[in-house]
Amino acid sequence: MIGTEFINGQGLGNQLFCYVTARAVALENGYEFGTAGQERFAVNIHSDRGMYFMDVDLGHVITEEEKKKFRVYHDVEDRLFIGNSRHDLTHGCYVAGADPKIHQVEDNTLIYGNMQDESYFIKYLPQVKQWLRVKPEYDSYEYSRENLCVINMRGGEYTGSPELLINRKYWLHGMEEMKKIRPDMEFVIITDDVETAQKMLPGIEAHHFDIGKDYVTLKNAYYLLLSNSSFACLPAHTSETLQFAIAPKYWARHNVSDGYWASEQNIYSLFHYMDRKGRMFTAKECREELQRYKKTSAKYKKLNVRPQGARLTMLRAHAWYVYKKAYVCKIARGVERRLKRVLHVQN
């Protein structure tokens, strides 16, 4: 039996990737499939209702006692210790790509880790669509139109991390790109943080429904402008309507990367990627560019090496600068919004 465990603190996107990858590996090797921690599936800070909108077969229930009999396999862990934040200095910025050994795990193994590379599951995509089939009573095409782009904006805990929260320029560039496809394109935001979305893109309709309707709205969209959140990845891959999707180049370090991806696993053939200047890249171009970067980057020569001494001091100073700069920009944007409201009232 091959399985995985649902862990406290995982979001639904992370859990679905763990589920899909582990089940695909089990199928690939002809093993039975099971999961531990089933009571934690789809239970997180965003929802405590469990998986009510899909009838997901979680396989054999692996109990705490049974877990002791399983081997443990961890998806590859590669990290860069860089001065973007305390997190990246303390824990490292996760940059790993695909782990080819995951396909050869032995029977009676629990797989843990990021598990988000498309190579883990893509050849079983027809089966994945069945595994993640939404119950008819929860499916919705309310925001499924050929001239409507659904923006999936992640806020919440991201708002306190300037290296992580996608900035306003990305969204504006993305909307411009979508209008090149259809000049009559309209937009709606699906988000976990309506307040932040309204500040980021005032005037654009923004919603946070229950987690099920958020999910199906993304799944049934014709056009997607995505954040660096795993929540939208599998809805996009299982969509029957999607025509075009834009995601942030470098994924979780779109704002600060000089060429590395956080992580490489989040380069998907389905998506097109936009950099900070609004330039578009295919997944193939992103992968090729990353391979060149790895060969020449001084950062990658220190992969998985924790900084010490003077280098650590320098990186801490840079992290402080990144956060202070973001704080000043946040204040400036707030002042700008207030001035616009005052001028609007006066006019």
Side-chain angles (χ1 to χ4, degrees):
M1 182 179 295
I2 296 294
T4 191
E5 181 178 8
F6 303 120
I7 300 171
N8 285 328
Q10 286 179 319
L12 181 61
N14 301 101
Q15 289 184 334
L16 289 178
F17 267 119
C18 291
Y19 166 77
V20 164
T21 291
R23 190 168 178 182
V25 170
L27 179 61
E28 183 176 24
N29 289 281
Y31 298 141
E32 293 183 51
F33 172 70
T35 50
Q38 292 188 7
E39 71 280 1
R40 294 186 286 271
F41 183 51
V43 176
N44 52 59
I45 60 172
H46 303 292
S47 175
D48 60 0
R49 295 176 61 184
M51 181 47 76
Y52 62 91
F53 62 94
M54 293 186 212
D55 189 15
V56 180
D57 180 4
L58 298 179
H60 177 77
V61 178
I62 300 174
T63 65
E64 288 298 313
E65 190 62 31
E66 287 177 315
K67 269 176 56 181
K68 299 174 184 177
K69 302 175 184 178
F70 279 77
R71 302 178 184 88
V72 171
Y73 185 87
H74 290 279
D75 192 12
V76 64
E77 278 277 336
D78 282 326
R79 294 180 180 270
L80 289 174
F81 292 87
I82 44 184
N84 296 323
S85 62
R86 287 182 181 177
H87 174 277
D88 288 0
L89 278 174
T90 305
H91 305 288
C93 177
Y94 183 80
V95 297
D99 181 355
K101 294 180 181 178
I102 204 169
H103 299 279
Q104 288 88 43
V105 294
E106 297 180 76
D107 198 4
N108 295 318
T109 299
L110 287 176
I111 307 175
Y112 294 85
N114 198 54
M115 300 164 68
Q116 295 184 14
D117 196 89
E118 69 174 31
S119 66
Y120 296 163
F121 64 86
I122 202 68
K123 70 178 180 180
Y124 297 110
L125 190 57
Q127 290 92 328
V128 172
K129 290 182 178 183
Q130 292 301 310
W131 299 343
L132 302 183
R133 186 166 51 187
V134 174
K135 296 177 182 178
E137 62 268 32
Y138 289 104
D139 219 350
S140 171
Y141 290 84
E142 181 179 355
Y143 294 93
S144 182
R145 298 201 311 270
E146 293 186 9
N147 71 328
L148 181 64
C149 173
V150 177
I151 298 172
N152 182 217
M153 186 181 295
R154 179 70 179 269
E157 68 273 25
Y158 278 29
T159 59
S161 301
E163 78 281 13
L164 193 55
L165 180 69
I166 297 297
N167 59 41
R168 176 175 162 81
K169 282 186 178 180
Y170 167 79
W171 303 113
L172 295 179
H173 284 149
M175 292 167 70
E176 288 175 7
E177 196 67 29
M178 287 296 183
K179 281 186 171 290
K180 292 178 185 177
I181 298 173
R182 286 194 64 126
D184 64 341
M185 191 72 79
E186 298 174 359
F187 300 91
V188 64
I189 301 170
I190 298 297
T191 179
D192 63 334
D193 187 343
V194 172
E195 181 181 356
T196 295
Q198 290 174 336
K199 290 178 180 178
M200 191 77 74
L201 295 175
I204 304 295
E205 180 183 346
H207 298 284
H208 179 30
F209 304 113
D210 59 81
I211 197 167
K213 188 167 182 180
D214 284 355
Y215 184 98
V216 300
T217 300
L218 298 174
K219 178 181 74 71
N220 295 329
Y222 279 82
Y223 298 93
L224 287 171
L225 178 54
L226 300 174
S227 69
N228 47 11
S229 168
S230 63
F231 179 73
C233 292
L234 285 169
H237 278 89
T238 56
S239 175
E240 300 294 343
T241 57
L242 185 63
Q243 301 296 308
F244 197 81
I246 297 174
K249 192 180 182 187
Y250 310 130
W251 200 249
R253 293 299 179 269
H254 170 81
N255 295 342
V256 294
S257 172
D258 65 353
Y260 60 90
W261 279 74
S263 73
E264 185 178 346
Q265 290 195 6
N266 298 113
I267 305 177
Y268 301 109
S269 302
L270 180 65
F271 298 164
H272 287 74
Y273 292 90
M274 178 173 285
D275 71 4
R276 292 190 292 271
K277 294 182 179 179
R279 297 174 299 191
M280 296 288 290
F281 299 82
T282 65
K284 182 175 183 290
E285 289 171 330
C286 290
R287 292 189 182 104
E288 291 173 349
E289 181 187 277
L290 178 59
Q291 294 312 308
R292 293 192 296 270
Y293 175 87
K294 287 181 180 180
K295 293 177 181 178
T296 59
S297 168
K299 284 189 176 76
Y300 255 82
K301 292 178 182 177
K302 297 181 174 65
L303 188 68
N304 298 317
V305 177
R306 292 179 179 273
Q308 296 179 344
R311 182 167 176 265
L312 177 59
T313 301
M314 180 183 68
L315 291 175
R316 282 174 175 164
H318 185 263
W320 179 88
Y321 168 76
V322 168
Y323 270 66
K324 288 299 179 183
K325 180 182 177 182
Y327 180 69
V328 170
C329 289
K330 185 177 181 180
I331 292 174
R333 287 195 299 269
V335 171
E336 182 182 3
R337 284 194 299 270
R338 292 185 184 93
L339 285 174
K340 285 181 178 179
R341 284 198 295 267
V342 169
L343 292 173
H344 178 74
V345 170
Q346 290 177 347
N347 292 333

